[in-house]
Amino acid sequence: MTNAGARSRAAARSDGAFVLDGVSFAVGAALLAATRVTHVPIPRRSLFEDLKEGWGEVRSRDWYGTSLVAHAAWNGSAAVLTTLGPAIAVREMGGWVAMLQVGAVGLLAGALLAERARPRRPVLVANLGLAVYALPPALLAASVWGPGVPLGISAVLVGVACVGTAAVPGVRRFNGSRGGAVVTV
């Protein structure tokens, strides 16, 4: 088979992925359109008053501050993975679409499981679940030196930050019975 033939077959496979992605966005838009939102009036205050109150809330809950750090590390790792991951995956493994599809299946399975799961320690379970995100950048970084170094660093950071929240007493104690938001569709 010629190189052009291989490219056309790869393009056809990726077109299907784009169509599936577009359909998933359309379904998401339809679900958001069906969501009922009640307007709740909020008293006007200054930005600094809001920041002061918010910082006080963060400081009063050790589990919340450490979870913010873990989620910041996770978001940083996601940025590195989505920037460098495709280039490294194409060069080292021949493609990125399969990794995206596996990730999408995992997200769907996780969402369905999360809907039914009622862990005793939801913050701890959530942060340990986020630590799993260290695997894709670590696996990509293991196959390459150079551009993969930031992937390895981000894998270590997200793993340590998310698993490290287990050391915070508030994370281990928090059982979700106080506070928290519930969204209904």
Side-chain angles (χ1 to χ4, degrees), residues 68-81:
L68 283 175
V69 171
H71 285 78
W74 186 93
N75 283 318
S77 180
V80 172
L81 179 63

Side-chain angles (χ1 to χ4, degrees), residues 36-153:
R36 294 179 188 207
V37 179
T38 306
H39 175 70
V40 177
I42 300 172
R44 288 190 58 84
R45 298 186 318 184
S46 74
L47 172 67
F48 294 110
E49 288 173 338
D50 283 346
L51 286 173
K52 182 180 175 187
E53 180 184 350
W55 183 246
E57 293 296 325
V58 170
R59 292 196 52 180
S60 71
R61 296 168 179 84
D62 62 353
W63 62 268
Y64 191 65
T66 55
S67 292
L68 283 175
V69 171
H71 285 78
W74 186 93
N75 283 318
S77 180
V80 172
L81 179 63
T82 56
T83 303
L84 295 176
I88 293 171
V90 167
R91 188 181 74 206
E92 299 294 324
M93 298 181 295
W96 178 247
V97 174
M99 290 185 74
L100 291 177
Q101 291 170 340
V102 168
V105 169
L107 284 171
L108 180 61
L112 293 173
L113 178 65
E115 174 70 24
R116 291 167 178 74
R118 298 286 182 246
R120 285 188 23 212
R121 305 287 183 251
V123 175
L124 179 61
V125 170
N127 287 334
L128 292 176
L130 283 178
V132 174
Y133 195 76
L135 291 176
L139 292 172
L140 282 173
S143 68
V144 66
W145 183 257
V149 172
L151 287 168
I153 292 170

